[in-house]
Amino acid sequence: MRRVFGAKKNKEPPPTIQDATDRINKRGETVDEKIKKLDAELARYKEQIKKTRPGPAQEAVKARAMRVLKQKRMYEGQRDMIYNQTFNLDQVAFATEGLKDAQQTMSALKSANKELKGVMKTVNISDIDSMQDEMIDMMDISTEIQESLGRSYNVPEDIDEEELMGELDALEADMGAETESDAVPSYLQPDKEPDVDSELNLPAAPIGNAAAMPNRVRPQSEDELGFPAVPQASMRN
């Protein structure tokens, strides 16, 4: 059957915009190379025209230069056309990419919207309000418990507040009087110096003639505090 009707040929996929752009850019590069060669040839003919004298030889060089110049103008026109095609392809590619981005954005928004709807179904605003009311009630109960635990014990309830205010005013008056008189309280007054003689309880010095007691040691002299005085000899040493 294939020999009679022939096998079905597989169609090649159409070229993409990028493929067309790459192909046109290669053509543009080829045209640019040809224009460069023609420019170099024109420069050579220009030097020959300067060096040759006016006459048939110079006219022949000019004719060649004109032919090269016409080819250059033709290639420049092709290059401009290729540049226009490349610009159009770039615009189409930009628009296509923009549409693809918009399509992806719409798909993402649809998916997010669907997910958001599913989440909203599980959330009930009345449940949230009820939970908030319960939290407020629990906070009030907690405050009452703290106040109850913070009460003082054994405090008489029949205390007269006016009597307490009177005592407070009297206390403030006493404090103000002490401040004005600059009186030093008794507990801040310095202690009296103790009597050293009474605390030491030293015996009194004997009264009598020192010469009548040859075998006894002469009593030492005392200082101002009643202690034995240091001999002068020891002080000199």
Side-chain angles (χ1 to χ4, degrees), residues 194-198 200 202 220-230:
D195 190 358
V196 179
D197 296 338
S198 60
L200 293 177
L202 296 177
Q220 296 180 355
S221 58
E222 297 177 353
D223 56 10
E224 297 177 354
L225 298 177
F227 294 101
V230 180

Short mmCIF file of all heavy atoms in Angstrom, two decimals, residues 194-198 200 202 220-230:
data_model
loop_
_atom_site.label_atom_id
_atom_site.label_comp_id
_atom_site.label_asym_id
_atom_site.label_seq_id
_atom_site.Cartn_x
_atom_site.Cartn_y
_atom_site.Cartn_z
N PRO A 194 33.96 57.32 128.72
CA PRO A 194 34.01 56.56 129.99
C PRO A 194 35.15 57.04 130.87
O PRO A 194 36.16 57.59 130.40
CB PRO A 194 34.22 55.12 129.50
CG PRO A 194 34.92 55.26 128.19
CD PRO A 194 34.39 56.51 127.55
N ASP A 195 34.95 56.85 132.17
CA ASP A 195 35.98 57.19 133.15
C ASP A 195 37.02 56.08 133.15
O ASP A 195 36.74 54.95 133.57
CB ASP A 195 35.35 57.35 134.55
CG ASP A 195 36.33 57.94 135.54
OD1 ASP A 195 37.50 58.19 135.13
OD2 ASP A 195 35.94 58.15 136.69
N VAL A 196 38.22 56.43 132.68
CA VAL A 196 39.28 55.42 132.55
C VAL A 196 39.72 54.95 133.93
O VAL A 196 39.99 53.76 134.15
CB VAL A 196 40.46 56.00 131.76
CG1 VAL A 196 41.58 54.98 131.64
CG2 VAL A 196 39.99 56.45 130.38
N ASP A 197 39.83 55.86 134.92
CA ASP A 197 40.31 55.48 136.26
C ASP A 197 39.36 54.49 136.91
O ASP A 197 39.80 53.50 137.53
CB ASP A 197 40.44 56.74 137.14
CG ASP A 197 41.52 57.66 136.56
OD1 ASP A 197 42.39 57.14 135.79
OD2 ASP A 197 41.50 58.87 136.84
N SER A 198 38.06 54.75 136.77
CA SER A 198 37.10 53.85 137.41
C SER A 198 37.08 52.49 136.72
O SER A 198 36.88 51.47 137.38
CB SER A 198 35.71 54.48 137.41
OG SER A 198 35.31 54.71 136.06
N LEU A 200 39.68 51.07 135.11
CA LEU A 200 40.91 50.32 135.41
C LEU A 200 40.97 49.88 136.87
O LEU A 200 41.59 48.87 137.21
CB LEU A 200 42.13 51.18 135.07
CG LEU A 200 42.31 51.48 133.56
CD1 LEU A 200 43.51 52.40 133.36
CD2 LEU A 200 42.51 50.18 132.79
N LEU A 202 42.57 51.14 139.47
CA LEU A 202 43.96 51.05 139.93
C LEU A 202 44.03 51.46 141.40
O LEU A 202 43.29 52.33 141.86
CB LEU A 202 44.84 51.98 139.09
CG LEU A 202 44.93 51.61 137.59
CD1 LEU A 202 45.75 52.65 136.84
CD2 LEU A 202 45.55 50.24 137.43
N GLN A 220 56.37 54.45 141.23
CA GLN A 220 56.59 55.20 139.98
C GLN A 220 55.59 56.32 139.86
O GLN A 220 54.48 56.25 140.36
CB GLN A 220 56.46 54.26 138.77
CG GLN A 220 57.52 53.16 138.74
CD GLN A 220 57.34 52.28 137.54
OE1 GLN A 220 56.39 52.43 136.81
NE2 GLN A 220 58.27 51.36 137.36
N SER A 221 56.04 57.35 139.17
CA SER A 221 55.14 58.47 138.93
C SER A 221 54.11 58.09 137.86
O SER A 221 54.34 57.20 137.05
CB SER A 221 55.94 59.69 138.46
OG SER A 221 56.66 59.38 137.27
N GLU A 222 53.00 58.76 137.88
CA GLU A 222 51.90 58.46 136.97
C GLU A 222 51.71 59.62 135.98
O GLU A 222 52.04 60.77 136.28
CB GLU A 222 50.60 58.24 137.75
CG GLU A 222 50.68 57.04 138.69
CD GLU A 222 49.40 56.89 139.50
OE1 GLU A 222 48.54 57.81 139.41
OE2 GLU A 222 49.25 55.88 140.18
N ASP A 223 51.18 59.23 134.84
CA ASP A 223 50.89 60.28 133.85
C ASP A 223 49.50 60.85 134.09
O ASP A 223 48.91 60.59 135.14
CB ASP A 223 51.02 59.71 132.43
CG ASP A 223 50.13 58.50 132.25
OD1 ASP A 223 49.32 58.25 133.11
OD2 ASP A 223 50.24 57.81 131.23
N GLU A 224 49.00 61.58 133.14
CA GLU A 224 47.71 62.26 133.29
C GLU A 224 46.56 61.28 133.41
O GLU A 224 45.55 61.55 134.04
CB GLU A 224 47.47 63.21 132.11
CG GLU A 224 48.49 64.33 132.03
CD GLU A 224 48.25 65.19 130.82
OE1 GLU A 224 47.37 64.82 130.00
OE2 GLU A 224 48.93 66.23 130.68
N LEU A 225 46.66 60.10 132.74
CA LEU A 225 45.59 59.11 132.77
C LEU A 225 45.71 58.13 133.91
O LEU A 225 44.90 57.21 134.02
CB LEU A 225 45.55 58.36 131.43
CG LEU A 225 45.24 59.21 130.21
CD1 LEU A 225 45.29 58.35 128.95
CD2 LEU A 225 43.89 59.89 130.32
N GLY A 226 46.75 58.24 134.71
CA GLY A 226 46.90 57.35 135.84
C GLY A 226 47.77 56.15 135.56
O GLY A 226 47.90 55.28 136.42
N PHE A 227 48.38 56.06 134.37
CA PHE A 227 49.28 54.96 134.06
C PHE A 227 50.67 55.30 134.54
O PHE A 227 51.04 56.47 134.68
CB PHE A 227 49.29 54.69 132.54
CG PHE A 227 47.99 54.18 132.01
CD1 PHE A 227 47.10 55.03 131.35
CD2 PHE A 227 47.64 52.85 132.18
CE1 PHE A 227 45.90 54.57 130.86
CE2 PHE A 227 46.43 52.38 131.68
CZ PHE A 227 45.57 53.23 131.04
N PRO A 228 51.52 54.28 134.81
CA PRO A 228 52.91 54.55 135.20
C PRO A 228 53.63 55.31 134.13
O PRO A 228 53.52 54.99 132.95
CB PRO A 228 53.51 53.16 135.41
CG PRO A 228 52.34 52.27 135.64
CD PRO A 228 51.21 52.83 134.85
N ALA A 229 54.36 56.33 134.54
CA ALA A 229 55.08 57.17 133.58
C ALA A 229 56.33 56.45 133.11
O ALA A 229 56.93 55.67 133.85
CB ALA A 229 55.42 58.52 134.20
N VAL A 230 56.71 56.70 131.88
CA VAL A 230 57.93 56.10 131.32
C VAL A 230 59.12 56.88 131.84
O VAL A 230 59.14 58.11 131.82
CB VAL A 230 57.89 56.14 129.79
CG1 VAL A 230 59.14 55.52 129.20
CG2 VAL A 230 56.66 55.40 129.29
#
